[in-house]
């Protein structure tokens, strides 16, 4: 059972070790998967992949027995494919997304998490239409087999993808549905207003509306804010409004086995990564058995 759980965290990728450093960081947390940005999340400036020590990182992945199919890349969050108001910005977002898919392939990886974007006041229908058109154009031309996992968002501002129905709409209107799935973020879904403490029910709703076969990644975060707050502020596991028991249930739910689960919880005092402790806690058998009774 435990071997079917893939649990890791967001890790950095920075000079001088780049990807090799990312893999080392993940292993130092006792993780068997991880997620990273191929550059700064806030911008689209990217170093050429040749500089990123990918071969050494992949060698260490192999040596450590990690599965590259479970390792996740996150697209820069400023990419917005959800509005066409500014034609040149829209084109730029599509171009960057195309580049990013090719970069993911250069790492030998298969899944790119993408925020669906914001309709920027143009309305949900326009947002959906823009996303579908952009995905069609990008996936027609990128030449990779990398999958995009559209993230469930908290629904602040004009944020798209906050409801399962919107994601379902996108998945059923694109030309290449085999290339697109969903990333379920516990903090975001809570903040959007789904009572994820009803674990079986939530998974069942997801399965009915979107389909569990579309679930490519899960972000495991506690939330600083209550159900339906539309805020999106992550909290450490067990310290927020969702709580340890519920998050632990997602880690160990048999229907979610095999799906990579990634912590994006904040550093402690902004300096210490909490991930080794949080992974230990979430996998601690005695702790869990005590919790199951
Ligand atoms: Fe995200
Ligand atoms: Fe997330
Ligand atoms: Zn978030």
């Amino acid at each position: 059972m435990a071997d079917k759980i893939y649990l890791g965290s967001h890790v950095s990728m920075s000079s001088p070790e780049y990807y090799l450093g990312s893999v080392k960081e993940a292993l130092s947390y006792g993780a068997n998967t991880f997620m990273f940005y191929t550059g700064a999340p806030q911008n689209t400036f990217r170093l050429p992949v040749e500089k990123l020590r990918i071969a050494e990182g992949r060698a260490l992945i192999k040596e450590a027995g990690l599965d590259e199919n479970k390792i996740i890349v996150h697209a820069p969050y400023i990419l917005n494919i959800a509005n066409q108001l500014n034609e040149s910005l829209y084109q730029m977002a599509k171009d960057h997304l195309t580049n990013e898919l090719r970069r993911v392939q250069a790492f030998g990886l298969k899944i790119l998490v993408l925020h669906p974007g914001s309709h920027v006041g143009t309305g949900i229908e326009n947002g959906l239409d823009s996303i579908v058109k952009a995905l069609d154009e990008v996936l027609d031309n990128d030449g990779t087999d990398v999958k995009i996992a559209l993230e469930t968002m908290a629904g602040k501002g004009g944020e798209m993808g906050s409801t399962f129905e919107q994601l379902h709409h996108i998945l059923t209107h694109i030309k290449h549905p085999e290339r697109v799935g969903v990333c379920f973020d516990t903090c975001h879904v809570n903040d959007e207003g789904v009572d994820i403490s009803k674990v079986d029910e939530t998974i069942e709703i997801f399965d009915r509306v979107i389909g569990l076969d579309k679930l490519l990644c899960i972000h495991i975060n506690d939330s600083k804010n209550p159900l339906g707050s539309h805020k999106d502020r992550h909290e450490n596991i067990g310290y927020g409004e969702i709580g340890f028991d519920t998050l632990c249930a997602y880690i160990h739910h048999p229907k979610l086995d095999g799906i990579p689960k990634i912590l994006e919880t904040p550093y402690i005092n902004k300096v210490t990564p909490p991930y080794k402790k949080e992974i230990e806690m979430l996998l601690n058998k005695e702790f869990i058995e005590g919790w199951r009774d």
Side-chain angles (χ1 to χ4, degrees):
M1 166 96 177
D3 59 346
K4 288 187 248 162
I5 295 174
Y6 294 89
L7 178 58
S9 71
H10 164 78
V11 298
S12 58
M13 188 182 67
S14 52
S15 165
E17 291 202 295
Y18 295 108
Y19 195 46
L20 176 62
S22 307
V23 181
K24 284 183 182 172
E25 185 182 341
L27 295 174
S28 79
Y29 300 147
N32 60 0
T33 183
F34 59 94
M35 180 178 83
F36 66 103
Y37 291 86
T38 73
Q42 316 85 331
N43 66 49
T44 50
F45 172 76
R46 293 293 179 261
L47 282 174
V49 288
E50 293 73 26
K51 297 215 157 137
L52 300 178
R53 303 184 67 171
I54 293 175
E56 292 161 274
R58 294 189 75 178
L60 183 55
I61 285 170
K62 207 168 172 198
E63 189 191 311
L66 303 195
D67 181 350
E68 285 183 330
N69 294 316
K70 309 292 179 181
I71 296 169
I72 309 289
V73 180
H74 199 307
Y77 47 70
I78 55 140
L79 278 189
N80 187 8
I81 57 166
N83 98 88
Q84 306 168 62
L85 266 187
N86 182 327
E87 183 52 43
S88 78
L89 272 183
Y90 186 56
Q91 191 55 51
M92 216 156 66
K94 289 183 283 189
D95 293 344
H96 282 304
L97 181 55
T98 305
N99 282 338
E100 199 64 14
L101 286 162
R102 292 174 181 159
R103 289 169 70 82
V104 175
Q105 189 169 58
F107 281 85
L109 302 176
K110 293 280 181 249
I111 303 171
L112 176 68
V113 169
L114 175 71
H115 293 182
S118 165
H119 64 63
V120 208
T122 63
I124 288 172
E125 226 166 282
N126 183 67
L128 291 172
D129 181 56
S130 305
I131 294 166
V132 168
K133 280 193 181 129
L135 289 176
D136 284 350
E137 189 182 318
V138 168
L139 297 176
D140 266 345
N141 297 303
D142 70 311
T144 79
D145 62 354
V146 174
K147 289 188 179 186
I148 293 175
L150 297 171
E151 185 161 350
T152 58
M153 302 307 289
K156 55 176 163 31
E159 226 168 44
M160 296 297 301
S162 63
T163 66
F164 295 165
E165 285 75 14
Q166 283 180 21
L167 293 167
H168 166 79
H169 177 99
I170 296 165
L171 295 178
T172 50
H173 284 75
I174 49 177
K175 277 201 278 178
H176 303 281
E178 75 290 349
R179 296 275 312 276
V180 183
V182 170
C183 169
F184 180 107
D185 185 308
T186 55
C187 168
H188 299 175
V189 176
N190 171 78
D191 287 16
E192 159 57 27
V194 176
D195 184 359
I196 65 164
S197 70
K198 295 175 180 148
V199 181
D200 287 319
E201 198 182 302
T202 304
I203 293 172
E204 212 221 284
I205 295 170
F206 184 97
D207 193 26
R208 197 168 60 229
V209 179
I210 295 175
L212 273 178
D213 57 319
K214 289 286 170 193
L215 185 53
L216 301 178
C217 177
I218 303 178
H219 287 169
I220 301 284
N221 302 305
D222 215 325
S223 175
K224 285 192 195 296
N225 294 288
L227 184 65
S229 57
H230 301 292
K231 284 286 204 318
D232 187 4
R233 293 191 61 213
H234 302 186
E235 181 56 281
N236 289 105
I237 305 300
Y239 290 83
E241 296 283 333
I242 299 171
F244 180 81
D245 289 1
T246 296
L247 294 168
C248 203
Y250 283 88
I251 301 285
H252 295 274
H253 200 289
K255 285 196 170 167
L256 306 179
D257 277 353
I259 298 166
K261 301 174 176 97
I262 305 291
L263 300 162
E264 301 174 295
T265 49
Y267 274 34
I268 297 160
N269 300 325
K270 299 199 164 129
V271 289
T272 313
Y275 306 123
K276 188 173 195 298
K277 264 265 137 44
E278 290 187 334
I279 288 170
E280 243 166 51
M281 245 166 60
L282 288 164
L283 295 178
N284 185 319
K285 227 167 157 260
E286 275 167 51
F287 204 18
I288 293 153
E289 274 160 11
W291 153 79
R292 277 190 195 277
D293 303 330

